[in-house]
Amino acid sequence: MKEYGLALCGGGGKGAFQIGVWKALEETGYWSQVKAVSGTSIGGLNAVLFALGDFRQAKRIWYSVREDMVFSPRRERDGRIIPLFSRAGLEKILDSLDLSRLARSPWEVYVNIYNIRTGKVESHRLNHRSVREQKELLLATSALPVLYDKIPIRGEDYLDGGLGILESGNVPVAPLYEQGYRDIIISSLDAELSPGDLKKNYPGGNFTAIVPLEDLGDLVTGTLDFSQTGIRNRMIAGYHDGLKQLRNEDVYFMKNNYSKINVQIRNQMTRMFSSAKELERFIETTNFSNLNIPGLTLGGLFFYTNVVEMFGWKLQQHNVPGLQSHYRFLDNRDVRRAWVLNPEDILRALDDYEAAEKFDRE
């Protein structure tokens, strides 16, 4: 059986994605093969949660985060306004964790921090350090410049380990590789991560990258977004995207191959929905990005073909040759409740809805 190292990249609020990846690792059997975890910035904080091994606790902590905890303005100092945020919120989270348990964790835990004086990234193992040292290192790995103060440790000043971009500081592979791990799973918060580039610096390494299949947002809408809606959506995306990539599923759909797409939609809807109420909830909670004004139809007698018919509801495809094909959902009174141009959007919506339902039950 392979032994894996797990590298958790940084990315602020986007780090909720990695909690979803955790669940995907469990369901695909990889979790039991992970023996070490390393992290940078928010990935370092998640690395500790992973090593403590309590998934429900990790979810609870992320759901307890509020933006005013992360970005609590500093008060005046010596009559000056300091344009930095307080670390009180993070310190409160760290105080809620029993960090002494890391000494008994079956996983090795590493974090990356950036030494201001040397301009180098350093990796430190947390397991057998004192709780005070662990907190210092976790505060340092998440100390984004400008936003937060530097963290002094043993006479040196440190900031967020992701600053060492030229050394791949934000992709904390190095401590795992140096400890002899050659099979490494990387949970990136950036879809553009290329494992091929890492192989140049880490010969013999076998890298499995789990990346967001859709953009998690920019600096403002992603990294600095600790809203509860953003956190929940990114957790679910991590679970959904992680399952697809760990199972080597095709993440692209069958563009314009309507017969195959329709079969896939029909099979998935039949498996997922056991009542009209469940189907209606899916339609009501899904944003298909098309404005729909519910209106009574003729039920598709002339220009539509039924793709799925269940509980009196219908999913129909427009079938007039030469015109733009589209799909629509009709309720049991033949009122149009939603419509979609691309059937791939229906498949994506079904995948996302199923992942959200399953993830929320945990």
Side-chain angles (χ1 to χ4, degrees):
M1 183 177 292
K2 289 184 177 180
E3 292 189 348
Y4 284 90
L6 174 63
L8 304 178
C9 302
K14 294 188 285 188
F17 180 88
Q18 292 168 345
I19 304 302
V21 170
W22 176 341
K23 194 63 183 171
L25 289 167
E26 287 186 332
E27 290 198 12
T28 52
Y30 283 92
W31 182 265
S32 62
Q33 299 178 65
V34 173
K35 302 302 177 184
V37 60
S38 63
T40 293
S41 193
I42 197 67
L45 303 178
N46 281 338
V48 169
L49 296 177
F50 277 44
L52 292 177
D54 189 335
F55 178 73
R56 291 181 184 274
Q57 179 190 47
K59 276 184 65 177
R60 186 168 62 251
I61 285 174
W62 268 95
Y63 282 146
S64 73
V65 173
R66 296 293 182 269
E67 291 182 317
D68 59 353
M69 291 174 60
V70 182
F71 304 118
S72 177
R74 296 286 295 271
R75 297 182 179 181
E76 291 187 8
R77 183 189 300 165
D78 299 328
R80 296 182 297 115
I81 300 290
I82 306 300
L84 300 171
F85 294 108
S86 167
R87 308 310 304 276
L90 175 56
E91 289 173 346
K92 182 177 180 180
I93 291 173
L94 294 178
D95 287 340
S96 72
L97 299 173
D98 184 2
L99 295 176
S100 66
R101 288 176 49 212
L102 290 180
R104 304 187 298 277
S105 172
W107 289 15
E108 305 164 42
V109 187
Y110 301 89
V111 294
N112 275 0
I113 58 177
Y114 181 78
N115 187 312
I116 297 176
R117 180 183 62 82
T118 65
K120 298 290 185 180
V121 173
E122 299 175 7
S123 297
H124 294 267
R125 186 176 177 182
L126 297 183
N127 300 72
H128 301 296
R129 293 179 179 271
S130 69
V131 170
R132 180 184 61 81
E133 290 175 315
Q134 291 170 344
K135 288 181 179 178
E136 286 177 342
L137 290 166
L138 290 169
L139 288 170
T141 194
S142 58
L144 288 168
V146 180
L147 297 183
Y148 299 113
D149 273 329
K150 59 186 180 292
I151 302 298
I153 302 176
R154 295 184 178 179
E156 299 279 5
D157 291 329
Y158 292 92
L159 286 170
D160 190 308
L163 291 177
I165 295 175
L166 296 179
E167 302 175 70
S168 297
N170 199 45
V171 185
V173 166
L176 302 172
Y177 187 86
E178 290 167 2
Q179 292 301 314
Y181 291 95
R182 293 297 179 265
D183 294 296
I184 298 175
I185 300 169
I186 304 169
S187 178
S188 174
L189 304 176
D190 179 358
E192 297 182 1
L193 174 72
S194 173
D197 294 337
L198 291 172
K199 289 184 177 181
K200 300 174 184 176
N201 297 324
Y202 303 101
N206 301 309
F207 300 102
T208 301
I210 302 172
V211 302
L213 300 181
E214 295 186 9
D215 189 2
L216 296 181
D218 56 23
L219 176 64
V220 175
T221 62
T223 304
L224 302 182
D225 177 22
F226 285 85
S227 67
Q228 285 300 297
T229 298
I231 285 172
R232 178 182 181 275
N233 289 343
R234 293 182 193 112
M235 281 190 187
I236 292 168
Y239 172 64
H240 169 253
D241 296 356
L243 283 179
K244 279 191 167 294
Q245 292 168 82
L246 290 170
R247 289 173 175 169
N248 293 316
E249 295 180 10
D250 188 354
V251 297
Y252 302 99
F253 295 106
M254 299 157 286
K255 189 75 174 177
N256 296 326
N257 192 331
Y258 292 114
S259 61
K260 288 185 177 181
I261 292 176
N262 289 347
V263 169
Q264 188 171 340
I265 291 174
R266 183 161 53 249
N267 290 343
Q268 196 155 347
M269 288 183 63
T270 301
R271 174 173 54 79
M272 286 175 56
F273 305 120
S274 57
S275 69
K277 185 177 181 180
E278 292 178 358
L279 176 56
E280 183 174 17
R281 183 169 182 270
F282 161 69
I283 294 171
E284 287 182 344
T285 57
T286 299
N287 178 14
F288 288 110
S289 301
N290 297 310
L291 176 64
N292 178 68
I293 301 175
L296 186 64
T297 71
L298 296 177
L301 293 177
F302 304 107
F303 305 120
Y304 291 86
T305 301
N306 286 347
V307 177
V308 182
E309 187 170 5
M310 53 196 311
F311 318 117
W313 289 61
K314 302 169 188 172
L315 172 63
Q316 298 182 326
Q317 180 184 7
H318 190 241
N319 60 11
V320 177
L323 297 180
Q324 169 70 56
S325 180
H326 65 269
Y327 289 66
R328 66 181 187 178
F329 288 93
L330 305 184
D331 65 17
N332 54 13
R333 294 173 298 144
D334 288 334
V335 173
R336 187 183 69 190
R337 301 290 292 275
W339 65 278
V340 186
L341 275 176
N342 299 310
E344 295 92 343
D345 291 339
I346 300 175
L347 287 174
R348 292 190 183 94
L350 289 168
D351 279 349
D352 290 348
Y353 183 82
E354 185 173 36
E357 290 289 293
K358 192 170 184 180
F359 191 83
D360 283 346
R361 286 196 297 269
E362 295 295 333

